[in-house]
Amino acid sequence: MPELIRYAISDRVAVITIDNPPVNALSPAVWTGIDEAIARANADPQADAIVLIGAGSTFIAGADIKVFDVLKTRDDSMKRSDGTHALLRRMEDSAKPLVAAIHGNALGGGMEVAMSCHFRVAGKDAKVGQPEVLLGIIPGAGGTQRLPRLAGAELALTMCTDGKPVAAPKARAAGMIDEIIEGDLSSGAIAFAKAKAAKKETRKTRDIAVPADAVKGGLDACAKMRASLAKTARGMRAPFAVVDAVEFGLQNGFDKGSVRERELFADCVVSTESKALRHLFFAEREVAKIPDVPKDTPTGDIRRAAVVGAGTMGGGIAMNYANAGIPVLLKEIDQAALDRGMATIRKNYEVTMSKGKLTPEQVEKTIALITPTTSYDGFDQVDIVTEAVFENMDLKKATFAEIGKVTRPDCILASNSSTLDIDEFARASGRPAQVLGHHYFSPANVMKLLEIVRGRDTDKSVLSTSLKLAKRLNKVGVVVGNCFGFVANRMLAYYMREAYLLLEEGASVEQIDRVLTTFGLPVGPYGMQDIAGIDVGARIRHYLKSIGKSRAEGPQSEVPDRLYEMGRYGQKTGAGWYKYDAPGSRNRTSDPLIEQLAEEAATKRGIKRRPVADDEILARITTALANEGARVLDEGFATRAGDIDIVYVYGFGFPRQSGGPMFYADTVGLPTVLSRVKEYRDRFGDYWQPAPLLERLVKEGRGFYSEAPATVG
Ligand code: 3HC
């Protein structure tokens, strides 16, 4: 086994190398190893100074996140951080100059280790940051106390509350880094350390004095940050805890501030918010692992792409390719539709430009990568075609038959269908092994999810190429099975069914949307439908009806179809579940017509409308999701419960701090979820049936995550 910590003398400098692949995370053994190596260097007559450096691609990416799972109580956490804080003080007390040499990332505990060194040097591409908040915790190894002393309270607050890393040049200007090293980092760091040794120079970050005016400025920054978080981080714990810790330190000094930091860290690390966010961190990395697709499966390069259909989705997909620097052909059936599609694309880029996120030159350069066309000329040159025509089986099959003929045999043929059977397209193409689903979420150029739908004959290399491509397009690719609606929309049908039925029973559109947005979704079910288009869902329902199927068991509310018949398609027509100022406007007001339609539908179904409590709305909708999610999992259409969570977090903005619908069900407790399903069955009818997996897990006393108990506090 390679040594986690290596010790060597170079030119009278002790070089301590951390070698814990892949990211040099601070496991307990790494912490101890660093501590021992620094003590050894201090006692070593051959060493005048010490350099701490990382092996591989990075310095230290932080504490080992898995270790937090063993901290079951606040006391566990306090004990562990007492040890860590003492260790970092020992580092700072080193009699010989101690220099952190940073390449790659110094994140979280990695940055805290670096700040406990006397000096920091870095390669120009290195980054430093305190991303703990993204895991529902705060910097717990002195970061909230040392960072304000180096970078000032304002920047420290920003870094610790948004979690974004800062590039080395900016970090140098702000005082976090002492020198940028051009060329070999190790030699540069050794030379730097020798120079400090020659002057017998050391500097403890904890002893940097904060002048009175800086304290005042820092306290003002804390107040401002709290006010801003009240709008952006409502209902979250960690970002506010960061401000509390920084503020306490400014008011009471380093030692007391450090104690307060430990307490606040302990509160956060055992919170459900942190467990949920840590779960998502690993779930997001797990999704790329498909059990029967080995890591070394060959992947193809996507150098050129094509998209068929320049509607809202097709245009958004073409933008994804262009944004990634991949030239893309965008095909429409006639010039007018193509012009409309290109005009929308241009408008989208201009909006981004008006926000200062793109320069005019960047806009032109990116748009130039999209070549509009009404023919298949050039399709024999592309590596992938994404079909994004209307959601109609015959039309899609005809499109696949055509693209099967005009492309090279190794070209990937992907469908953006949101519901239909991928295997039918595969047959129509004549090249089933190359066919799969690439289901984007609206707006396709914004939402991070890509459902990669595996057909019966999809080749493994087509899947691995798609996963690699997803990363390049800045998406999270999740491989799912080919059932109706795949994972996202299959479960969504149950979510929408409950939303519709709750409306008929007496809740209002506004109430239901409010309950879901208060829970943390960016938009409620009705607001979402108005954005996506009521016509889209109606067409799918009508198609299913024509083949004798429905999207979800149970009564189908007639209200959405009534709106469709009235031409109320949502925002685009100026009316849907809400009324809008004008077609395309987002300014909405409620419409009494909806209550009237709901009354009529309720009367027809013999339902006496009643006030519905907010709790019931949330419970019904989340239970419907988890119960159907359990079926999806049991039937093998999702590989892991975590994959479903990722689909919902990135596809629909399901609140991250809940961990996704499956993790949330675990926190509610599966026995409670099961008893709710049974209660709803008794109240509403047999269309509510517990998923077999849910029953099995409850019987075994487990949650969806085997190591998680069925109820989390
Ligand atoms: N602990 C444990 N495992 C970690 C880890 C960490 N801090 N950081 C990354 N990993 C693992 C990943 O799970 C992944 O494992 P896998 O290969 O088995 O799936 C592997 O390292 C590679 O990670 P990525 O796939 O994310 O690699 P990238 O190159 O895309 O990104 C990175 C590298 C930017 C370092 C990214 O991994 C990252 O952001 N890591 C987390 C950083 C972080 O949050 N640090 C703070 C931790 S909490 C802390 O330090 C508390 C302290 O205040 C006490």
Side-chain angles (χ1 to χ4, degrees):
M1 223 176 70
E3 266 182 296
L4 284 177
I5 306 293
R6 292 198 297 271
Y7 183 93
I9 296 291
S10 174
D11 201 9
R12 295 202 57 80
V13 174
V15 178
I16 301 169
T17 306
I18 305 151
D19 191 2
N20 185 24
V23 293
N24 294 329
L26 293 158
S27 64
V30 172
W31 279 115
T32 312
I34 294 174
D35 195 23
E36 288 172 359
I38 291 173
R40 177 175 166 188
N42 270 289
D44 189 341
Q46 303 299 315
D48 300 329
I50 311 161
V51 164
L52 185 65
I53 194 165
S57 61
T58 197
F59 179 65
I60 303 172
D64 184 342
I65 300 166
K66 288 197 185 90
V67 171
F68 297 140
D69 289 346
V70 305
L71 305 176
K72 300 289 179 209
T73 65
R74 215 175 162 276
D75 276 357
D76 289 347
S77 170
M78 288 298 286
K79 265 186 222 138
R80 189 176 286 259
S81 15
D82 283 352
T84 310
H85 278 243
L87 191 158
L88 292 169
R89 284 180 91 96
R90 280 197 294 281
M91 283 180 65
E92 235 172 6
D93 290 340
S94 164
K96 297 179 183 175
L98 173 57
V99 179
I102 303 169
H103 72 300
N105 293 290
L107 298 177
M111 179 59 174
E112 290 167 306
V113 164
M115 290 191 294
S116 304
C117 293
H118 301 140
F119 305 100
R120 287 146 296 283
V121 298
K124 64 179 180 342
D125 296 327
K127 288 183 186 148
V128 301
Q130 299 286 173
E132 287 89 341
V133 72
L134 306 176
L135 301 168
I137 51 177
I138 66 169
T144 65
Q145 306 304 310
R146 287 193 178 88
L147 190 57
R149 280 173 170 74
L150 288 175
E154 198 173 338
L155 180 57
L157 282 164
T158 304
M159 286 173 67
C160 296
T161 52
D162 72 13
K164 289 186 193 149
V166 168
K170 183 174 169 190
R172 161 92 176 86
M176 289 175 264
I177 304 280
D178 298 287
E179 195 171 300
I180 304 278
I181 304 280
E182 304 283 346
D184 182 60
L185 178 65
S186 175
S187 331
I190 291 169
F192 182 95
K194 275 181 77 74
K196 294 295 174 192
K199 289 192 245 163
K200 298 204 177 332
E201 203 180 323
T202 60
R203 186 186 58 185
K204 297 178 191 177
T205 308
R206 70 172 188 260
D207 287 347
I208 296 174
V210 187
D213 59 336
V215 170
K216 184 175 174 315
L219 293 175
D220 289 347
C222 288
K224 266 199 208 129
M225 182 56 82
R226 238 185 233 114
S228 145
L229 290 172
K231 292 185 211 129
T232 56
R234 201 161 33 98
M236 306 214 24
R237 177 194 288 267
F240 294 95
V242 162
V243 184
D244 291 350
V246 171
E247 184 177 62
F248 198 89
L250 288 169
Q251 288 164 332
N252 299 285
F254 184 89
D255 291 348
K256 287 186 179 146
S258 295
V259 174
R260 187 73 192 120
E261 178 192 276
R262 268 170 269 179
E263 291 167 353
L264 289 160
F265 177 89
D267 290 338
C268 288
V269 81
V270 295
S271 70
T272 302
E273 172 181 318
S274 177
K275 286 175 190 154
L277 291 168
R278 275 145 46 200
H279 155 67
L280 288 176
F281 177 86
F282 289 111
E284 186 172 337
R285 282 150 182 86
E286 279 293 301
V287 285
K289 296 167 192 160
I290 313 302
D292 67 335
V293 180
K295 235 181 156 183
D296 55 1
T297 305
T299 53
D301 259 350
I302 303 294
R303 285 161 305 223
R304 288 170 190 282
V307 176
V308 180
T312 317
M313 289 308 283
I317 297 167
M319 287 174 75
N320 286 328
Y321 280 104
N323 294 343
I326 302 171
V328 55
L329 296 168
L330 180 61
K331 180 185 178 297
E332 250 305 344
I333 201 116
D334 61 49
Q335 194 60 43
L338 197 54
D339 291 346
R340 274 196 305 276
M342 287 304 291
T344 308
I345 289 174
R346 178 165 286 280
K347 201 173 119 203
N348 287 341
Y349 279 121
E350 282 170 358
V351 170
T352 315
M353 189 176 73
S354 70
K355 292 180 185 158
K357 292 184 187 164
L358 283 178
T359 62
E361 297 72 45
Q362 284 169 325
V363 169
E364 293 313 320
K365 215 172 141 195
T366 313
I367 292 183
L369 287 169
I370 306 175
T371 306
T373 174
T374 51
S375 79
Y376 282 121
D377 289 352
F379 272 57
D380 56 344
Q381 302 291 315
V382 302
D383 305 301
I384 183 167
V385 180
T386 307
E387 163 281 308
V389 302
F390 276 125
E391 192 74 354
N392 173 298
M393 180 55 94
D394 293 338
L395 177 62
K396 285 190 186 269
K397 273 164 63 174
T399 307
F400 268 86
E402 283 171 11
I403 57 179
K405 287 192 198 108
V406 296
T407 51
R408 289 194 321 263
D410 64 333
C411 176
I412 294 177
L413 307 178
S415 170
N416 179 50
S417 172
S418 55
T419 44
L420 303 174
D421 185 356
I422 297 297
D423 291 333
E424 293 227 24
F425 311 151
R427 270 192 294 278
S429 76
R431 271 197 265 133
Q434 295 301 109
V435 175
L436 83 175
H438 276 190
H439 178 210
Y440 291 84
F441 289 71
S442 189
N445 54 315
V446 177
M447 297 307 284
K448 280 201 73 158
L449 178 65
L450 178 64
E451 257 187 337
I452 299 172
V453 189
R454 182 177 193 165
R456 202 182 40 218
D457 301 314
T458 309
D459 196 84
K460 287 179 186 176
S461 69
V462 171
L463 291 174
S464 59
T465 303
S466 296
L467 281 164
K468 191 171 100 179
L469 173 68
K471 268 200 164 179
R472 215 172 141 198
L473 299 184
N474 197 22
K475 305 278 171 199
V476 179
V478 183
V479 175
V480 299
N482 180 27
C483 55
F484 186 81
F486 320 128
V487 170
N489 282 342
R490 171 170 162 177
M491 287 169 64
L492 191 72
Y494 290 80
Y495 171 98
M496 289 310 300
R497 178 194 73 191
E498 283 315 293
Y500 293 146
L501 295 181
L502 284 158
L503 173 66
E504 289 191 5
E505 286 164 39
S508 69
V509 158
E510 294 76 12
Q511 184 193 7
I512 297 167
D513 275 358
R514 176 180 47 75
V515 168
L516 272 303
T517 51
T518 306
F519 179 60
L521 279 135
V523 61
Y526 292 102
M528 179 178 77
Q529 278 241 310
D530 273 0
I531 295 168
I534 288 170
D535 51 326
V536 178
R539 279 202 210 99
I540 295 168
R541 274 194 305 280
H542 294 169
Y543 165 73
L544 283 176
K545 218 169 172 185
S546 75
I547 58 167
K549 286 190 181 164
S550 71
R551 295 184 77 165
E553 292 92 40
Q556 305 296 312
S557 170
E558 61 169 40
V559 183
D561 282 334
R562 297 281 309 273
L563 295 182
Y564 175 63
E565 285 153 19
M566 291 174 187
R568 294 176 62 119
Y569 294 171
Q571 280 185 10
K572 60 186 169 193
T573 59
W577 293 104
Y578 295 91
K579 267 195 300 207
Y580 296 86
D581 291 353
S585 158
R586 291 181 190 177
N587 277 345
R588 68 186 196 194
T589 44
S590 5
D591 191 339
L593 173 81
I594 305 294
E595 279 297 297
Q596 191 194 313
L597 295 177
E599 283 276 359
E600 287 169 19
T603 310
K604 272 196 207 160
R605 290 214 298 120
I607 297 169
K608 191 168 159 2
R609 296 188 88 216
R610 63 184 166 95
V612 182
D614 289 357
D615 286 354
E616 178 175 346
I617 293 174
L618 187 62
R620 291 254 302 266
I621 287 184
T622 53
T623 302
L625 275 179
N627 196 42
E628 190 57 17
R631 284 210 178 87
V632 165
L633 194 57
D634 214 13
E635 293 166 14
F637 292 107
T639 310
R640 292 155 286 245
D643 290 17
I644 299 178
D645 288 330
I646 292 296
V647 163
Y648 265 76
V649 165
Y650 286 118
F652 298 115
F654 202 88
R656 291 185 69 85
Q657 64 273 26
S658 75
M662 309 306 273
F663 191 87
Y664 177 71
D666 260 21
T667 63
V668 167
L670 293 197
T672 305
V673 175
L674 178 62
S675 69
R676 281 180 184 165
V677 175
K678 290 180 176 165
E679 178 206 324
Y680 302 152
R681 181 181 60 194
D682 297 344
R683 276 172 66 195
F684 304 113
D686 280 349
Y687 62 87
W688 271 102
Q689 285 296 338
L693 176 64
L694 183 58
E695 291 194 298
R696 278 204 312 276
L697 289 174
V698 171
K699 212 163 154 194
E700 291 163 17
R702 292 169 52 204
F704 286 121
Y705 302 92
S706 39
E707 53 284 298
T711 12
V712 181

